[in-house]
Amino acid sequence: MIDADALRETFRSRYGREARLFRAPGRVNLIGEHTDYNDGFVLPMAIDRETVAAAAPRADRRVRVCALDLGEEAEFDLDRPGAPRRGRWLDYVEGVAQSLAGRGVRLGGADLAVTSSVPPGSGLSSSAALEISVGLALATVSDKEVPRVELALAGQEAEHVWVGAMVGIMDQFVSALAERGHALLIDCRSLAYSLVPLDTSETAVVVCDTNVRHELASSEYNARRAECERGVEILRGVLPKIAALRDVSVGELERYETLLPEPVRRRCRHVVNENERTLAAAAALRRRDLWEVGRLMDRSHRSLRDDYEVSCHELDVLVEIAGNFGGAMGARMTGGGFGGSTVNLVRRDAVDEFRETVSSEYNRATGRRASVLVSEPGDGAGEILD
Ligand code: ADP
Ligand code: MG
């Protein structure tokens, strides 16, 4: 957790004024991977790691921002947007400000200082936590109330236009809208969502970071998107009404999959089945059947590894360690793949042993260290009061 008093004090000594504090969490996706850009379903939860933006309004139209974790400061003018895609953290900050402005939110200038406990690049979406905390801070100190879905869309637009990452809506959405004790089932087409109670009294959500990031991630991501689009084009020959893989049922895919060339066939098989698994997992959660959720997670991982081919050796090692551990109910890679983290459901009374087993066996198999994080499903973005 971020020390709010220390942040207030840092802000005071840097800018000579009092700040209001706004937080937004990172997230982990329980199931529903590579479905968001196929208009499908995802089931993420907010984790108890967060980014906090301290903010105070200014009389002019400038935004001054200090990235405390990096020891860097930058500035921009709301009326004279800088160049997008400079390849720095400022792209996220100015991006969300300009995206909100483009949506008719009349922002005023502000001084900002941000700090985070979400590790960047671990697949826990530090970028969404940054966008949503800053977006909420800028809007609120400008006396503007922005609907949460709008805030999430502005964060996504910042990634698309300012960062150049063609991400789905999941990360920003859950960071803005999550609620404590729940996962969030999101329909990425309609943006309809429902809160699904996630009872962690006997089962812990454990995130294990491989601490590797393979270069392939972004080029392969774009390749997968193109392969899915190709699948839709071909399937439209026999299913003229479909607009995305979301519209194809498991039965329809089984009937027509021979029309698809490889690897498009396997890519489509993953997405169509993953959507069904995600809805099944939400239903199982509602019944408190965590073992069933775990089985669905295991299947999701196999599908991501074999059909979608976005896993990597280190992720597979972590999932296999969990698979051999009696108290683990399910495990899968989470996030885009090619490194990043796994998400595991582990019996609460076996968590300490799980942590030790993962640490030693992962190190033995790969020579690397895994980071293990146990998280409760937390609240989405909000102001830190008092
Ligand atoms: P992630 O999976 O963590 O979202 P991304 O590559 O999408 O990985 O986003 C990480 C980037 O977000 C960092 O390189 C940095 O530019 C920005 N970022 C995240 N957290 C912070 C922070 N606390 N301060 C400054 N920039 C940050
Ligand atoms: Mg990100």
Short mmCIF file of all heavy atoms in Angstrom, two decimals, residues 320-347:
data_model
loop_
_atom_site.label_atom_id
_atom_site.label_comp_id
_atom_site.label_asym_id
_atom_site.label_seq_id
_atom_site.Cartn_x
_atom_site.Cartn_y
_atom_site.Cartn_z
N GLU A 320 2.79 -25.57 -14.31
CA GLU A 320 3.01 -26.99 -14.02
C GLU A 320 3.30 -27.19 -12.52
O GLU A 320 2.81 -28.15 -11.93
CB GLU A 320 4.19 -27.50 -14.86
CG GLU A 320 4.18 -29.01 -15.00
CD GLU A 320 5.38 -29.48 -15.80
OE1 GLU A 320 5.68 -28.86 -16.85
OE2 GLU A 320 6.02 -30.46 -15.35
N ILE A 321 4.06 -26.30 -11.93
CA ILE A 321 4.34 -26.40 -10.49
C ILE A 321 3.01 -26.36 -9.72
O ILE A 321 2.76 -27.16 -8.82
CB ILE A 321 5.27 -25.26 -10.02
CG1 ILE A 321 6.66 -25.42 -10.64
CG2 ILE A 321 5.37 -25.23 -8.49
CD1 ILE A 321 7.56 -24.19 -10.49
N ALA A 322 2.14 -25.43 -10.12
CA ALA A 322 0.82 -25.34 -9.46
C ALA A 322 0.01 -26.60 -9.70
O ALA A 322 -0.68 -27.10 -8.79
CB ALA A 322 0.07 -24.11 -9.97
N GLY A 323 0.10 -27.14 -10.91
CA GLY A 323 -0.67 -28.35 -11.25
C GLY A 323 -0.27 -29.54 -10.40
O GLY A 323 -1.08 -30.42 -10.11
N ASN A 324 1.00 -29.56 -9.98
CA ASN A 324 1.49 -30.67 -9.15
C ASN A 324 1.30 -30.42 -7.66
O ASN A 324 1.70 -31.24 -6.84
CB ASN A 324 2.98 -30.91 -9.44
CG ASN A 324 3.20 -31.42 -10.85
OD1 ASN A 324 2.33 -32.08 -11.42
ND2 ASN A 324 4.35 -31.08 -11.43
N PHE A 325 0.76 -29.26 -7.34
CA PHE A 325 0.62 -28.89 -5.92
C PHE A 325 -0.82 -29.19 -5.47
O PHE A 325 -1.78 -28.64 -6.03
CB PHE A 325 0.94 -27.39 -5.76
CG PHE A 325 0.94 -26.93 -4.34
CD1 PHE A 325 2.09 -27.04 -3.55
CD2 PHE A 325 -0.21 -26.38 -3.77
CE1 PHE A 325 2.08 -26.60 -2.24
CE2 PHE A 325 -0.21 -25.95 -2.46
CZ PHE A 325 0.94 -26.06 -1.69
N GLY A 326 -0.94 -30.04 -4.47
CA GLY A 326 -2.27 -30.51 -4.07
C GLY A 326 -3.26 -29.43 -3.71
O GLY A 326 -4.45 -29.54 -4.01
N GLY A 327 -2.79 -28.37 -3.05
CA GLY A 327 -3.72 -27.34 -2.59
C GLY A 327 -4.06 -26.27 -3.61
O GLY A 327 -4.76 -25.31 -3.31
N ALA A 328 -3.55 -26.42 -4.85
CA ALA A 328 -3.88 -25.44 -5.89
C ALA A 328 -5.05 -25.96 -6.70
O ALA A 328 -5.05 -27.10 -7.16
CB ALA A 328 -2.67 -25.19 -6.79
N MET A 329 -6.06 -25.13 -6.87
CA MET A 329 -7.28 -25.56 -7.56
C MET A 329 -7.23 -25.29 -9.05
O MET A 329 -7.97 -25.87 -9.82
CB MET A 329 -8.46 -24.83 -6.93
CG MET A 329 -8.51 -25.11 -5.44
SD MET A 329 -9.11 -23.71 -4.53
CE MET A 329 -10.72 -24.33 -4.17
N GLY A 330 -6.36 -24.38 -9.46
CA GLY A 330 -6.23 -24.09 -10.88
C GLY A 330 -5.18 -23.02 -11.08
O GLY A 330 -4.85 -22.28 -10.16
N ALA A 331 -4.63 -22.99 -12.29
CA ALA A 331 -3.57 -22.00 -12.58
C ALA A 331 -3.54 -21.74 -14.08
O ALA A 331 -3.79 -22.65 -14.88
CB ALA A 331 -2.21 -22.51 -12.13
N ARG A 332 -3.23 -20.51 -14.42
CA ARG A 332 -3.10 -20.16 -15.84
C ARG A 332 -2.25 -18.91 -15.98
O ARG A 332 -2.07 -18.15 -15.03
CB ARG A 332 -4.48 -19.90 -16.47
CG ARG A 332 -5.29 -18.83 -15.73
CD ARG A 332 -6.66 -18.63 -16.34
NE ARG A 332 -6.55 -17.97 -17.61
CZ ARG A 332 -6.44 -16.67 -17.79
NH1 ARG A 332 -6.45 -15.84 -16.76
NH2 ARG A 332 -6.33 -16.16 -18.98
N MET A 333 -1.71 -18.73 -17.18
CA MET A 333 -1.07 -17.46 -17.47
C MET A 333 -2.15 -16.39 -17.50
O MET A 333 -3.31 -16.67 -17.80
CB MET A 333 -0.32 -17.49 -18.81
CG MET A 333 -1.15 -17.92 -19.99
SD MET A 333 -0.47 -17.37 -21.59
CE MET A 333 -1.13 -15.69 -21.68
N THR A 334 -1.78 -15.17 -17.16
CA THR A 334 -2.76 -14.08 -17.20
C THR A 334 -2.11 -12.89 -17.88
O THR A 334 -0.89 -12.71 -17.80
CB THR A 334 -3.24 -13.73 -15.77
OG1 THR A 334 -4.26 -12.74 -15.84
CG2 THR A 334 -2.11 -13.24 -14.87
N GLY A 335 -2.89 -12.11 -18.60
CA GLY A 335 -2.33 -11.01 -19.38
C GLY A 335 -1.98 -11.49 -20.79
O GLY A 335 -2.33 -12.61 -21.18
N GLY A 336 -1.29 -10.66 -21.51
CA GLY A 336 -1.05 -10.92 -22.93
C GLY A 336 -0.21 -12.15 -23.23
O GLY A 336 -0.35 -12.78 -24.27
N GLY A 337 0.70 -12.51 -22.31
CA GLY A 337 1.54 -13.69 -22.51
C GLY A 337 2.98 -13.36 -22.82
O GLY A 337 3.40 -12.21 -22.67
N PHE A 338 3.77 -14.37 -23.20
CA PHE A 338 5.21 -14.23 -23.47
C PHE A 338 5.95 -13.64 -22.28
O PHE A 338 6.81 -12.77 -22.43
CB PHE A 338 5.43 -13.38 -24.73
CG PHE A 338 4.76 -13.95 -25.95
CD1 PHE A 338 3.58 -13.39 -26.44
CD2 PHE A 338 5.29 -15.06 -26.59
CE1 PHE A 338 2.95 -13.93 -27.54
CE2 PHE A 338 4.66 -15.60 -27.70
CZ PHE A 338 3.48 -15.04 -28.18
N GLY A 339 5.56 -14.10 -21.09
CA GLY A 339 6.14 -13.57 -19.85
C GLY A 339 5.02 -12.97 -19.02
O GLY A 339 3.84 -13.22 -19.27
N GLY A 340 5.39 -12.20 -18.01
CA GLY A 340 4.37 -11.68 -17.10
C GLY A 340 4.01 -12.72 -16.07
O GLY A 340 4.88 -13.50 -15.64
N SER A 341 2.77 -12.77 -15.67
CA SER A 341 2.39 -13.52 -14.48
C SER A 341 1.41 -14.66 -14.74
O SER A 341 0.76 -14.70 -15.78
CB SER A 341 1.74 -12.55 -13.48
OG SER A 341 2.65 -11.53 -13.12
N THR A 342 1.32 -15.55 -13.72
CA THR A 342 0.24 -16.53 -13.69
C THR A 342 -0.72 -16.15 -12.57
O THR A 342 -0.35 -15.45 -11.63
CB THR A 342 0.74 -17.96 -13.42
OG1 THR A 342 1.33 -18.00 -12.11
CG2 THR A 342 1.77 -18.39 -14.45
N VAL A 343 -1.96 -16.61 -12.69
CA VAL A 343 -2.93 -16.44 -11.60
C VAL A 343 -3.33 -17.84 -11.13
O VAL A 343 -3.53 -18.74 -11.94
CB VAL A 343 -4.14 -15.58 -12.04
CG1 VAL A 343 -4.87 -16.17 -13.24
CG2 VAL A 343 -5.11 -15.38 -10.87
N ASN A 344 -3.40 -17.99 -9.82
CA ASN A 344 -3.63 -19.30 -9.22
C ASN A 344 -4.72 -19.19 -8.16
O ASN A 344 -4.76 -18.20 -7.41
CB ASN A 344 -2.36 -19.79 -8.51
CG ASN A 344 -1.13 -19.77 -9.42
OD1 ASN A 344 -0.73 -20.79 -9.95
ND2 ASN A 344 -0.54 -18.60 -9.58
N LEU A 345 -5.54 -20.23 -8.07
CA LEU A 345 -6.45 -20.33 -6.92
C LEU A 345 -5.85 -21.37 -5.98
O LEU A 345 -5.60 -22.51 -6.40
CB LEU A 345 -7.85 -20.78 -7.36
CG LEU A 345 -8.65 -19.80 -8.21
CD1 LEU A 345 -10.05 -20.38 -8.49
CD2 LEU A 345 -8.78 -18.45 -7.51
N VAL A 346 -5.62 -20.97 -4.75
CA VAL A 346 -4.91 -21.85 -3.81
C VAL A 346 -5.70 -21.91 -2.50
O VAL A 346 -6.18 -20.87 -2.01
CB VAL A 346 -3.49 -21.31 -3.53
CG1 VAL A 346 -2.74 -22.22 -2.56
CG2 VAL A 346 -2.71 -21.16 -4.83
N ARG A 347 -5.83 -23.10 -1.95
CA ARG A 347 -6.50 -23.22 -0.65
C ARG A 347 -5.77 -22.36 0.36
O ARG A 347 -4.56 -22.40 0.48
CB ARG A 347 -6.49 -24.69 -0.19
CG ARG A 347 -7.74 -25.43 -0.63
CD ARG A 347 -7.91 -26.77 0.07
NE ARG A 347 -7.00 -26.98 1.17
CZ ARG A 347 -6.20 -28.03 1.28
NH1 ARG A 347 -6.19 -28.97 0.37
NH2 ARG A 347 -5.41 -28.15 2.34
#
